[in-house]
Amino acid sequence: MKKKSTPELIVHEKLTLQLYVSGMSPKSMEAIENIKRLCDEHLKEAFELEIIDIYKNPEVASQQQIVFSPSLIKSLPLPKKTLVGNFSDSEKVIKGLGIAFKK
Amino acid sequence: MAAKSTEELLLKIEELENSLAESEQLIEAIKAGEVDAFAVNSNDKAEVYTLQSGDYAYRVLIEKFGEGALNLTEDGLIVYTNTYFYELLNLAYENVVGSFFTDFIDEGSKKTFTNLFQKSLKGSSKGEINLYVNEKIIPVYISLTSLQPKLATVGVIITDLSEKKKNEEIILKYQQDLELKNLELLQSNNELASFTYIASHDLQEPLRKIQTFSNRILDKEDGNFPANISDYFQRIISASERMQNLIVGLLNYSRTNTAEVIYTPTSLNSIIDEVKTNLSELLEEHQVSMEISALPVLNIVPLQFNQLFSNIILNAIKYKKQNTKPVIKITAVMADAAELQTNNTAACNYWKIKISDNGIGFEQQYADKIFELFQRLHGRNEYEGTGLGLAICRKIVQNHHGFIKAEGKPDVGATFIIYLPSL
């Protein structure tokens, strides 16, 4: 079991994240930048990020019925969370993923 | 129907709340325009839908990029062109779109293009062709990819090769100039070799005659001549001897250029030993002491180096201080990179070989002059010599891709420094 990674966040287990993007769309490119920064700054080693391009792999929709881009899905630990947008607000993203800040 | 317990209901409510929160967030995001595209599963087939904003970057990339981008139909009709391409052809957009790509291809390249295009219909292909517009040939590199089945077109990316071709032509011209110069050099060398042959026979022959007959006259009639006539003949004889020495010296000099040379790794100490043996009588006569350090093994022509060291040692003896026993020191060290200045283009180590004497030396201002052909710092009455010895030394060092320089202090001595590339 992974212990907390940064002074700021309480993370008990490694996060498994999928970021869905659509090729060269401006929001996709922003989302990638923002999520990477968020993970590097707050999650350090406690995450696994997979970036999937729905243009290159449209069949991901078959598993989820509909996949928006850009969207971030936390598949582990449960419960599963889905966030949509370009993720410019780190705090909102962290809260949306259900991670608490250490007080 | 069993009633669910309160706990179970509360859990269910929490689940629903989470689901609702997510859906709300999703709708907010869509309303705020934060979604670019989505993939939907309909009838087991995945479809991707792009909203307006999602395409923007692709458009900018293709339209603004510094390469030509086209879409061609299967018949080669241009149904899309970006700005770069029609600007490359120096035509207006409307004169390019709707034309056949082959309209802009040079006759000589049409066949190549047809092959590339056919190949691309099954996948992709790349190659060089020439475009021809307004009597101008534009060399380009094209990359074709069939966009089937998504689009019924072939995408083409075009790179302008004009700059590259221009540089290639310049290099070719330099190459041709170089080959010409080489030919001239070869011819020059051959002519020099012939000259050498002529000089050695045809010039020396009359000289020998002059000397022979002048000597005979003196032998026969010496007693009968008035003093000044004898003197005249003596002068004739010594002048012709001088001329002979000059010719031999010149021959030596030219031979260091043209002779067949074989470089072999040779110990410089062994060369010095040879020189000492050859000059043993002279060295004994002038009571010369030589201090030789350990010298390296280098890739050299032994005969030429024998001549090199001989010339310098002979000079040291010739220009010794009166009533002083000549001392000649020869040392070798690895040269410091800082010493090797602008002339050094090769990236290798150099040996620095110093030959110094305690003779009359010379003024440092003449340090370059002494290596020139026929340069002498002293009159013929003071020291004899042809003025070729050091010129030959320099030629030999140059043949071995090295440098030679001299340092002199009047009345202290002279030092010759030879830089040679190491093995």
Side-chain angles (χ1 to χ4, degrees), chain A residues 24-25 27 55 62 65 67 69 84, chain B residues 26 36-37 39 41 50 57-58:
Chain A
M24 242 202 292
S25 79
K27 306 258 177 355
Y55 285 148
S62 56
Q65 291 303 105
V67 176
S69 158
V84 174
Chain B
L26 178 63
D36 268 333
N41 201 8
T50 305
Y58 289 98

Side-chain angles (χ1 to χ4, degrees), chain B residues 208-351:
Chain B
R208 260 179 253 129
K209 290 253 162 50
I210 292 172
Q211 286 170 318
T212 308
F213 287 107
S214 302
N215 274 318
R216 264 195 221 171
I217 291 174
L218 275 185
D219 284 343
K220 265 200 148 180
E221 310 289 339
D222 198 11
N224 302 333
F225 280 148
N228 52 354
I229 302 286
S230 289
D231 187 39
Y232 294 159
F233 276 110
Q234 278 297 0
R235 290 203 200 189
I236 290 173
I237 291 170
S238 40
S240 53
E241 274 172 4
R242 270 202 316 278
M243 183 156 171
Q244 196 158 39
N245 286 338
L246 263 174
I247 292 178
V248 172
L250 267 175
L251 277 176
N252 268 343
Y253 180 77
S254 73
R255 252 191 228 119
T256 55
N257 282 342
T258 62
E260 283 289 308
V261 285
I262 300 173
Y263 294 80
T264 109
T266 316
S267 151
L268 293 188
N269 283 103
S270 70
I271 302 278
I272 301 282
D273 288 340
E274 256 179 53
V275 173
K276 275 161 77 173
T277 311
N278 293 343
L279 304 178
S280 55
E281 283 127 9
L282 209 59
L283 293 173
E284 218 185 283
E285 188 190 322
H286 294 272
Q287 294 179 297
V288 181
S289 71
M290 297 192 47
E291 296 168 21
I292 323 282
S293 330
L295 305 176
V297 172
L298 297 177
N299 227 15
I300 59 169
V301 181
L303 193 65
Q304 289 192 7
F305 262 65
N306 188 306
Q307 196 166 19
L308 168 70
F309 286 124
S310 297
N311 282 0
I312 296 180
I313 290 170
L314 284 171
N315 272 354
I317 300 172
K318 184 158 74 174
Y319 294 108
K320 68 170 188 176
K321 276 198 279 220
Q322 273 217 335
N323 304 323
T324 308
K325 293 193 207 163
V327 177
I328 303 176
K329 297 189 192 160
I330 308 186
T331 60
V333 292
M334 222 42 180
D336 193 349
E339 289 175 73
L340 311 164
Q341 298 153 8
T342 49
N343 292 330
N344 180 18
T345 50
C348 69
N349 289 325
Y350 278 77
W351 281 96

Side-chain angles (χ1 to χ4, degrees), chain A residues 22-29 53-55 58-63 65-70 79-87, chain B residues 18 22 25-26 29-30 32-42 46-51 53-59 61 150:
Chain A
S22 48
M24 242 202 292
S25 79
K27 306 258 177 355
S28 293
M29 303 197 281
D53 184 344
I54 63 173
Y55 285 148
E59 63 278 356
V60 294
S62 56
Q63 297 135 27
Q65 291 303 105
I66 187 166
V67 176
F68 284 92
S69 158
K80 175 173 148 183
K81 292 277 183 186
T82 304
L83 295 174
V84 174
N86 72 346
F87 314 120
Chain B
N18 283 338
E22 263 193 35
Q25 194 263 337
L26 178 63
I30 294 174
E34 288 185 24
V35 169
D36 268 333
F38 55 92
V40 196
N41 201 8
S42 53
E47 291 275 355
V48 179
Y49 294 87
T50 305
L51 306 180
S53 53
D55 271 341
Y56 183 61
Y58 289 98
R59 265 182 278 135
L61 179 69
K150 302 199 172 131

Side-chain angles (χ1 to χ4, degrees), chain B residues 130-146:
Chain B
N130 279 337
L131 301 177
Y132 183 73
V133 182
N134 291 335
E135 311 195 348
K136 207 174 119 188
I137 293 208
I138 308 172
V140 292
Y141 188 74
I142 61 174
S143 176
L144 302 97
T145 306
S146 167

